[in-house]
């Protein structure tokens, strides 16, 4: 696609955008001047869909009206509430419905699935992850390694950027897997890296790692709702994600977990068990059923009766993804929106900043990460003052994530104007 840096061209792209109407489904915060903010932090906390208030109110109403009977008599019975999320969530990550469950929060799910899929042995105790990684993932991994009696210093392998670079080379990751694969118990990678916005080739990583006998887990925190995924076909062993970033389900919303069918059906796998993972047919026999009978699906990893108030927002937010035509339609717009941003930043030909996100469309999602060589904090403050919400990561990276559901080409144009003027 050929772009132009003219303001009118940005407006033309908005007029031609078939998904433009979805912006109106969201509450957009306003700045001090009463105008809507340019909200480019959907990678951190997605905007609230207008339909969400009613979805949450419904559960409060059912609680007030029915109390305990809402488990079975609510408009959406609480007993099987999570099942209403299974199919829309499965579509988003490219899974079969029985491979997906919405529960807990991301780091909790990471731990629960590592209990099953990180089974270190003397010769094969290592975990491979990428650097830079999100701290919660690093803490979870190191504590799991230590929990099994191994030394995180020895057993955690980091795939690092080359010197002077910030994004990884896929071939470098593959080199580690080829060389050290027989010592690696688990490859635990992000789908999209939170810092650089780099999208990894999950399919290739998975098949290479599995050839070496490793398990493969993917953290989709920055990938779910951002890029198309095909977890089942890629044969990923397990995956986890949160729902408050690109999925717009609100702070602390129920997170997601994927367990590939070939494991999900296996009732012999070691796991931490709780009553909500037990066969629902016998769950309420209570003390009469002391032996855990796991549901033969991802549901078996559930522990507690779920937070209905943390799941209600998923119903309204995931429905929007389906209405918009799913991830392929959203990705098509996203590539245009972020591609336009890349173009404008290139036109600025600034020596003051460098986009560290890989430029190839198959190596990034919505987000561009901009390394500012001089006075980065000042530039960030200028953006804030102009009503552009983005974020600053120490020491000097500004992350900007235009999302296809609620951002416009003209917003991207306005943001790029400010960046281009920084000298
Ligand atoms: C956002 C994010 C988290 C947050 O974890 P919570 O358990 O949801 O608080 C963890 N890991 C990654 C990679 C993230 O991007």
């Amino acid at each position: 696609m050929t772009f132009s840096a003219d303001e009118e061209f940005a407006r033309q792209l908005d007029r031609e955008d078939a998904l433009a109407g979805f912006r109106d489904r969201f509450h957009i915060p306003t700045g001090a001047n009463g105008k809507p903010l340019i909200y480019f932090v959907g990678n951190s906390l997605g905007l609230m869909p207008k339909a969400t208030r009613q979805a949450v109110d419904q559960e409060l109403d059912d609680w007030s009206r029915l109390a305990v009977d809402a488990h079975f008599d609510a408009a959406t019975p609480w007993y099987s509430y999570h099942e209403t999320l299974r199919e829309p969530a499965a579509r988003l990550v490219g899974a079969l419905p029985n491979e997906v469950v919405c529960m807990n929060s991301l780091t909790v799910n990471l731990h629960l699935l590592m209990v099953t899929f990180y089974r270190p042995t003397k010769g094969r105790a290592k975990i491979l992850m990428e650097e830079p990684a999100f701290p919660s993932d690093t803490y979870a991994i190191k504590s799991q390694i230590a929990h099994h009696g191994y030394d995180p210093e020895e057993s955690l392998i980091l795939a690092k950027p080359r010197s002077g670079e910030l994004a990884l080379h896929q071939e470098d990751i593959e080199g580690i897997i080829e060389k050290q694969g027989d010592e690696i118990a688990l490859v635990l990678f992000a789908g999209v890296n939170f810092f650089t916005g780099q999208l990894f080739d999950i399919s290739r990583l998975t098949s290479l790692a599995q050839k070496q006998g490793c398990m493969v887990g993917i953290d989709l925190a920055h990938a779910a709702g951002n890029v198309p995924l095909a977890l089942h076909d890629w044969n990923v062993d397990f995956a986890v994600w949160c729902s408050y970033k690109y999925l717009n389900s609100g702070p602390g919303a129920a997170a997601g977990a994927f367990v590939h069918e070939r494991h999900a059906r296996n009732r012999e796998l070691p796991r931490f068990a709780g009553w909500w993972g037990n066969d629902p047919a016998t769950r309420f026999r209570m003390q009469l059923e002391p032996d855990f009978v796991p549901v033969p699906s991802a549901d078996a990893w559930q522990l507690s009766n779920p937070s209905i108030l943390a799941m209600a927002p998923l119903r309204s937010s995931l429905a929007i993804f389906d209405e918009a035509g799913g991830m392929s339609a959203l990705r098509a717009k996203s590539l245009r929106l972020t591609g336009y941003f890349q173009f404008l930043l290139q036109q600025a030909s600034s020596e003051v900043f460098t986009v560290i996100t890989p430029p190839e469309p198959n190596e990034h999602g919505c987000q561009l990460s901009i390394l500012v060589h001089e006075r980065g904090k000042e530039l960030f403050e200028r953006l804030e003052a102009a009503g552009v919400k983005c974020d600053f990561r120490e020491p000097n990276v500004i992350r900007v994530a235009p999302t296809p559901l609620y951002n416009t080409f003209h917003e991207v144009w306005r943001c790029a104007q400010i960046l281009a003027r920084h000298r």
Side-chain angles (χ1 to χ4, degrees):
M1 172 147 199
T2 37
F3 293 117
S4 147
D6 275 1
E7 181 173 10
E8 180 48 33
F9 182 77
R11 295 208 184 275
Q12 182 63 31
L13 288 177
D14 282 324
R15 281 194 292 272
E16 290 166 0
D17 172 17
L19 297 177
F22 282 91
R23 176 177 169 86
D24 197 38
R25 304 289 192 88
F26 295 87
H27 289 289
I28 300 173
T30 49
N33 60 3
K35 299 229 170 83
L37 294 176
I38 296 181
Y39 196 81
F40 286 150
V41 276
N43 56 349
S44 188
L45 186 80
L47 290 180
M48 175 179 162
K50 290 176 179 167
T52 294
R53 190 179 304 276
Q54 204 218 323
V56 175
D57 275 349
Q58 174 77 58
E59 302 317 320
L60 293 172
D61 288 348
D62 287 344
W63 178 24
S64 67
R65 255 182 340 108
L66 300 166
V68 73
D69 288 339
H71 281 295
F72 294 100
D73 299 338
T76 307
W78 295 345
Y79 192 64
S80 50
Y81 201 91
H82 68 281
E83 289 177 13
T84 65
L85 304 172
R86 195 193 302 289
E87 297 205 0
R91 283 193 283 277
L92 279 175
V93 297
L96 303 177
N98 69 357
E99 294 175 321
V100 167
V101 60
C102 292
M103 59 178 186
N104 309 317
S105 49
L106 186 157
T107 309
V108 173
N109 291 344
L110 190 55
H111 272 299
L112 289 177
L113 293 179
M114 285 177 78
V115 163
T116 299
F117 296 106
Y118 174 55
R119 309 291 299 170
T121 56
K122 224 172 170 49
R124 192 191 274 277
K126 296 186 177 171
I127 297 181
L128 171 65
M129 79 183 302
E130 90 272 20
E131 187 182 87
F134 199 90
S136 201
D137 301 50
T138 306
Y139 305 153
I141 288 172
K142 285 186 172 174
S143 63
Q144 285 271 343
I145 292 172
H147 171 75
H148 285 280
Y150 295 90
D151 179 1
E153 293 298 315
E154 271 170 37
S155 295
L156 177 56
I157 308 173
L158 294 172
K160 295 184 186 186
R162 292 179 189 175
S163 115
E165 299 183 10
L166 285 161
L168 288 166
H169 291 258
Q170 179 87 17
E171 71 208 63
D172 292 354
I173 310 166
E174 293 173 7
I176 297 174
I177 294 173
E178 264 152 33
K179 235 193 258 134
Q180 293 175 265
D182 61 349
E183 300 166 15
I184 297 174
L186 173 65
V187 172
L188 186 56
F189 242 73
V192 172
N193 183 267
F194 81 102
F195 187 72
T196 61
Q198 179 172 16
L199 166 63
F200 298 107
D201 187 337
I202 301 170
S203 172
R204 259 185 80 97
L205 279 185
T206 303
S207 72
L208 281 176
Q210 287 174 342
K211 257 187 220 123
Q212 302 280 335
C214 320
M215 285 285 176
V216 177
I218 307 291
D219 183 331
L220 301 173
H222 282 260
N226 178 8
V227 293
L229 299 162
L231 297 180
H232 176 83
D233 289 346
W234 295 339
N235 205 37
V236 168
D237 292 289
F238 72 93
V240 292
W241 59 94
C242 53
S243 306
Y244 49 81
K245 294 175 179 166
Y246 292 105
L247 295 182
N248 310 315
S249 301
F258 163 90
V259 179
H260 198 280
E261 189 180 35
R262 70 203 139 79
H263 303 305
R265 286 179 184 287
N266 182 354
R267 292 184 148 150
E268 307 306 316
L269 286 175
R271 76 186 95 217
F272 285 172
W275 71 321
W276 231 256
N278 194 80
D279 181 353
T282 57
R283 190 182 287 151
F284 277 146
R285 285 170 50 77
M286 303 283 190
Q287 76 283 7
L288 306 176
E289 294 284 337
D291 294 321
F292 179 68
V293 182
V295 193
S297 75
D299 284 14
W301 278 264
Q302 293 179 115
L303 298 182
S304 300
N305 79 93
S307 167
I308 300 301
L309 296 177
M311 284 197 300
L314 271 79
R315 300 194 67 201
S316 44
S317 60
L318 300 190
I320 295 175
F321 281 83
D322 281 330
E323 269 184 77
M327 282 315 300
S328 61
L330 287 163
R331 174 65 163 167
K333 174 172 172 187
S334 174
L335 286 174
R336 261 198 311 280
L337 196 60
T338 296
Y340 180 51
F341 195 27
Q342 288 174 301
F343 165 82
L344 293 172
L345 295 181
Q346 227 164 27
Q347 292 283 300
S349 67
S350 170
E351 283 169 15
V352 185
F353 61 76
T354 312
V355 177
I356 59 172
T357 309
E360 294 304 320
N362 62 351
E363 289 187 85
H364 65 77
C366 298
Q367 173 184 329
L368 294 185
S369 300
I370 303 166
L371 176 72
V372 190
H373 305 295
E374 285 166 42
R375 294 170 289 119
K377 198 76 195 243
E378 195 181 303
L379 173 56
F380 173 69
E381 281 159 9
R382 195 166 307 139
L383 286 163
E384 285 267 293
V388 181
K389 280 307 280 178
C390 46
D391 74 11
F392 187 76
R393 285 283 172 263
E394 296 289 348
N396 51 4
V397 169
I398 294 177
R399 301 187 306 167
V400 184
T403 64
L405 273 176
Y406 50 74
N407 287 124
T408 68
F409 289 89
H410 192 253
E411 288 179 318
V412 164
W413 183 86
R414 283 161 66 199
C415 176
Q417 288 285 302
I418 299 168
L419 290 165
R421 282 200 295 268
H422 188 65
R423 291 281 175 243

